[in-house]
């Protein structure tokens, strides 16, 4: 549906797009949006001067709610920051979490945008299409920070911003079938050109693989995007997505074709906007960074496409399109076999090895006592130890700073890890509770006592098995550690104590994330809290520490002993995750195979 000039602001808020060049009339002015500047294809953002910054993009988001990837809580998007006149916020709206576009864009955000924004104190709030569980799986696969990552399960943000709904919106056709013409550029302008660019290279773009060590593409030169380089990255991402499709894809399949975009707001005014025109046509991170720089100088840069001439040689373009199609087919065949190859090649998509990724999945246990725990025969049911270990790994892999995960690390350090949870080392963690290190007990701590965490994916089996009316004995006997402060309380106390007195031991580990306006401290919150309060127990913020230690003295958390705060990574937090096997071949091996496959397809076509 097209909107006339007079009604552009109104109907854009309803999810329709104004025609190219139409601006909303007063009182709310909306920047003109033509076809957006598609970063990956090389389209440029141009400045638009001489008019007030638009506020309607901000207003359109009023009342729109998203789900936090960190804890699953629903919150209004606009409540996540205070829109002061000098406040700049970056809002990347990804496509769905199983999409090649969202993976590729998120990788660039993580590598090139987030570190810069963190240094400048600019908040980045990333939204993707799907559930909170989808978002957590996405973050684990790409090592994308959970802080600032949110899920939109209905596409409400995208409709409010007038982002493209994809091919044949509203048609009673399977979204999967809609994807096929979009991959060929139908209803997805620029996609075919972008696919070709991945194979033929682009001398105006930087290299895709910028590792310090030489890589196979260096034989084609350095300092630019080499032929097949971007296509190889996309194949590697495809290999990462296919085996995780069920974890990453949105429950609402209509979102499979929804496109995204990016906003940069200063206060309530839009200083940059990019609307994805189609698949792989996401925001240029260079233009995004330039827009933030411009916002800091109170300049506007509304993203619009630079005009691009038709290719001088359409015949050559057609041959390249045929080549790309053949290479894509060959590469897809490689991708279908690649998950098995990746397991042997040690390919890493962020958090670690395939083995670690497998361990990060929740336990897949099929037993009637999990789904129907009130049956009398379930009284003696024992939830498998390995399943509890896997559930704990899933929880701590998603939020390593949770209180129970701190306890799990302390158990590991004391020799009372999953293989020996009731060993002598458990007394170093709790003098009162011999079951403190049992994985099932730690899962119960998260799912039963840690406020707001029961919706996490790793709690699914526990919640079902230990629901009201359950007769399962383990649910009565191993009820979790109710003396621990909740993670939210720990986070608030450590933020306050370390902000007021940053010289305390361990505060240097938490303050960087707090100073970057992160929701959660990226550190071992319980360990730091215990150390700070042991140094100055009379501080007002240590009341929960006093209560915890009075109820169950822990030599680890309740004494002034030195504690290893450095062991706070997600891998350490997941005690169930097996150590990574020695990598038999680097991840580039899969990429090299893709390169060979594509080269073989090219040779066959040319000959």
């Amino acid at each position: 549906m097209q909107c006339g000039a007079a009604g552009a602001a109104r109907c854009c808020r309803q999810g329709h797009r104004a025609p190219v060049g139409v601006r909303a009339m007063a009182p709310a002015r909306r920047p003109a949006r033509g076809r957006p500047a598609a970063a990956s294809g090389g389209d440029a953002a141009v400045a638009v001067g001489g008019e007030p910054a638009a506020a309607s993009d901000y207003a359109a988001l009023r009342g729109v709610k998203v789900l936090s990837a960190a804890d699953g809580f629903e919150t209004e998007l606009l409540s996540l920051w205070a829109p002061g006149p000098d406040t700049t916020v970056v809002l990347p709206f990804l496509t769905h979490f199983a999409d090649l576009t969202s993976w590729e864009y998120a990788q660039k955000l993580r590598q090139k945008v987030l570190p810069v924004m963190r240094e400048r104190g600019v908040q980045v709030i990333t939204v993707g299409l799907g559930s909170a569980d989808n978002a957590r799986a996405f973050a684990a696969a790409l090592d994308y920070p959970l802080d600032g990552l949110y899920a939109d399960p209905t596409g409400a943000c995208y409709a409010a911003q007038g982002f493209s709904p994809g091919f044949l919106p509203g048609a009673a056709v399977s979204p999967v079938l809609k994807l096929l013409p979009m991959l060929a550029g139908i209803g997805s302008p620029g996609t075919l050109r972008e696919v070709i660019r991945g194979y033929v290279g682009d001398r105006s773009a930087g290299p895709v693989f910028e590792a310090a060590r030489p890589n196979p593409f260096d034989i084609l030169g350095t300092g630019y995007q080499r032929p097949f380089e971007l296509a190889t990255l996309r194949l590697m991402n495809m290999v990462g997505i296919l085996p995780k499709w069920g974890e990453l894809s949105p429950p609402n399949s209509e979102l499979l074709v929804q496109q995204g975009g990016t906003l940069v707001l200063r206060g309530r005014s839009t200083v940059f906007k990019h609307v994805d025109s189609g698949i792989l046509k996401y925001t240029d991170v260079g233009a995004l960074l330039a827009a933030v720089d411009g916002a800091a100088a109170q300049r506007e840069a509304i993203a619009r496409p630079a005009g691009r001439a038709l290719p001088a040689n359409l015949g050559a373009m057609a041959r390249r399109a045929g080549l790309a199609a053949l290479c894509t087919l060959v590469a897809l065949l490689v991708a279908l076999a690649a998950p098995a190859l990746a397991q042997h090649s040690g390919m890493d998509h962020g958090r670690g090895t395939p083995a670690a990724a497998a361990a990060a999945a929740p336990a897949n246990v099929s037993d009637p006592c999990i789904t129907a725990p009130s049956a009398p025969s379930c009284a003696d049911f024992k939830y498998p130890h390995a399943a509890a270990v896997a559930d704990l790994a899933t929880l701590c892999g998603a939020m390593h700073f949770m209180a129970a995960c701190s306890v799990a690390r302390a158990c590991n350090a004391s020799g009372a890890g999953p293989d020996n949870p009731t060993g002598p080392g458990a007394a170093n963690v709790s003098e009162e509770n011999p079951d403190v290190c049992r994985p099932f007990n730690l899962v119960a701590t998260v799912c039963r006592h840690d406020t707001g965490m029961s919706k996490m994916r790793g709690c699914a089996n526990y919640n079902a098995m230990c629901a009201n009316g359950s007769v399962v004995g383990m649910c009565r006997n191993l009820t979790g550690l109710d003396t621990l402060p909740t993670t939210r309380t720990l986070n608030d106390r450590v933020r306050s104590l370390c902000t007021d007195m940053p010289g305390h031991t361990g505060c240097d580990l938490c303050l960087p994330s707090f100073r970057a306006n992160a929701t959660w401290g990226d550190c071992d919150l319980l360990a730091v809290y215990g150390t700070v309060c042991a140094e100055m127990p009379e501080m007002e913020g240590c009341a929960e520490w006093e209560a915890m230690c009075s109820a169950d003295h822990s030599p680890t958390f309740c004494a002034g002993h030195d504690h290893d705060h450095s062991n706070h990574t997600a891998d350490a937090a997941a005690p169930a995750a097996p150590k990574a096997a020695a990598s038999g071949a680097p991840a580039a091996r899969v990429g090299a195979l893709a390169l060979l496959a594509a080269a073989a397809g090219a040779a066959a076509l040319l000959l």
Side-chain angles (χ1 to χ4, degrees):
M1 176 177 177
Q2 295 284 310
C3 310
R10 180 181 67 257
C11 77
C12 284
R13 283 195 297 273
Q14 294 170 349
H16 306 302
R17 291 184 293 168
V20 174
V22 170
R23 295 176 184 275
M25 303 298 287
R29 294 184 61 85
R30 189 181 189 89
R33 295 193 316 259
R35 228 171 25 78
S40 46
D43 293 340
V46 297
V48 176
E51 66 171 329
S56 56
D57 289 320
Y58 178 92
L61 293 171
R62 287 199 177 104
V64 176
K65 295 183 178 181
V66 292
L67 304 175
S68 168
D71 55 26
F73 283 155
E74 184 179 67
T75 186
E76 188 170 345
L77 180 61
L78 294 185
S79 71
L80 298 175
W81 76 94
D86 297 323
T87 300
T88 300
V89 62
V90 178
L91 295 162
F93 291 95
L94 308 176
T95 50
H96 67 86
F97 292 111
D99 191 24
L100 281 173
T101 302
S102 63
W103 275 50
E104 195 171 314
Y105 186 25
Q107 286 164 333
K108 289 187 177 181
L109 290 171
R110 187 194 67 196
Q111 295 164 6
K112 299 181 179 182
V113 174
L114 296 186
V116 176
M117 296 300 103
R118 192 175 297 117
E119 289 179 2
R120 298 181 186 179
V122 174
Q123 190 172 359
V124 179
I125 298 172
T126 307
V127 180
L129 291 162
S131 67
D133 282 343
N134 296 152
R136 281 190 286 269
F138 175 84
L142 292 178
D143 198 19
Y144 200 86
L146 276 175
D147 276 335
L149 180 62
Y150 294 84
D152 181 349
T154 64
C157 295
Y158 298 69
Q161 291 303 312
F163 294 148
S164 170
F167 184 53
L168 293 178
V173 179
S174 167
V176 177
L177 295 179
K178 293 180 184 180
L179 275 175
L180 297 178
M182 290 182 70
L183 292 170
I186 302 172
S188 183
T191 294
L192 187 57
R193 182 191 297 271
E194 179 56 28
V195 171
I196 293 171
R197 193 177 73 92
Y199 284 101
V200 302
D202 185 351
R203 288 195 171 272
S204 67
V208 174
F209 299 109
E210 299 179 292
R213 296 182 300 175
N215 65 68
F217 292 100
D218 289 344
I219 62 174
L220 301 175
T222 58
Y224 74 101
Q225 181 190 305
R226 284 71 61 96
F228 298 104
E229 188 177 14
L230 183 55
T232 298
L233 173 68
R234 289 168 178 167
L235 176 65
M236 294 171 68
N237 284 343
M238 191 187 302
V239 172
I241 290 170
L242 288 178
K244 298 183 177 74
W245 180 263
E247 300 174 48
L248 294 164
S249 58
N252 180 0
S253 62
E254 294 297 325
L255 300 178
L256 291 175
V257 294
Q258 173 68 55
Q259 301 304 296
T262 303
L263 280 179
V264 177
L265 299 175
R266 184 172 178 81
R268 291 180 170 85
S269 298
T270 301
V271 295
F272 177 91
K273 184 168 187 176
H274 172 92
V275 183
D276 298 355
S277 63
I279 296 170
L280 297 177
K281 300 296 289 180
Y282 54 86
T283 308
D284 179 16
V285 295
L288 175 57
L289 291 170
V292 174
D293 288 339
Q298 297 186 352
R299 293 186 288 113
E300 285 192 357
I302 304 300
R304 278 206 256 158
R308 302 188 73 174
L310 290 174
N313 188 336
L314 291 177
M317 193 71 176
R319 287 195 297 273
R320 286 183 174 183
L323 171 62
L326 180 59
C327 293
T328 301
L329 178 60
V330 175
L332 179 60
L333 293 176
V334 174
L336 293 176
L341 173 64
Q343 283 194 324
H344 297 289
S345 66
M347 192 171 73
D348 188 340
H349 281 280
R351 282 286 180 186
T353 64
N364 183 15
V365 181
S366 177
D367 192 284
C369 289
I370 294 177
T371 55
S374 60
S377 59
C378 295
D380 296 326
F381 173 69
K382 302 295 184 186
Y383 190 63
H385 176 73
V389 170
D391 288 342
L392 183 60
T394 298
L395 293 167
C396 294
M399 298 182 70
H400 65 83
F401 42 80
M402 287 192 295
C405 301
S406 296
V407 175
R409 284 189 290 275
C411 293
N412 287 344
S414 298
D419 294 334
N420 189 28
T422 57
N428 293 326
V429 184
S430 170
E431 293 182 349
E432 305 293 332
N433 188 348
D435 295 318
V436 63
C437 293
R438 288 186 183 272
F440 186 85
N441 209 32
L442 293 173
V443 170
T445 302
V446 175
C447 305
R448 182 169 181 165
H449 301 296
D450 206 344
T451 304
M453 304 305 180
S454 63
K455 296 180 181 178
M456 295 181 67
R457 192 159 176 254
C459 290
N461 286 346
Y462 178 87
N463 290 341
M465 182 174 58
C466 298
N468 290 336
S470 171
V471 301
V472 176
M474 290 183 72
C475 298
R476 297 193 307 272
N477 300 329
L478 296 174
T479 57
L481 310 177
D482 58 1
T483 59
L484 288 180
T486 68
T487 300
R488 192 171 292 276
T489 297
L490 284 173
N491 192 66
D492 292 344
R493 297 294 179 268
V494 172
R495 183 192 295 270
S496 176
L497 293 169
C498 289
T499 300
D500 292 343
M501 304 185 72
H504 279 300
T505 304
C507 284
D508 58 314
L509 300 168
C510 303
L511 283 173
S513 48
F514 290 141
R515 286 169 177 163
N517 296 318
T519 304
W520 300 100
D522 188 20
C523 57
D524 192 327
L525 292 170
L526 180 59
V528 173
Y529 185 54
T531 300
V532 171
C533 291
E535 292 174 351
M536 297 188 69
E538 70 281 359
M539 289 189 295
E540 182 180 354
C542 291
E544 289 83 4
W545 178 77
E546 288 285 354
M548 176 185 73
C549 297
S550 298
D552 183 1
H553 181 77
S554 167
T556 298
F557 300 112
C558 298
H561 299 161
D562 290 335
H563 185 66
D564 181 13
H565 301 295
S566 64
N567 183 25
H568 67 279
T569 64
D571 290 333
K579 294 181 179 180
S583 182
R589 182 168 296 178
V590 174
L593 179 58
L595 178 61
L596 290 174
L605 182 65
L606 295 175
L607 293 176

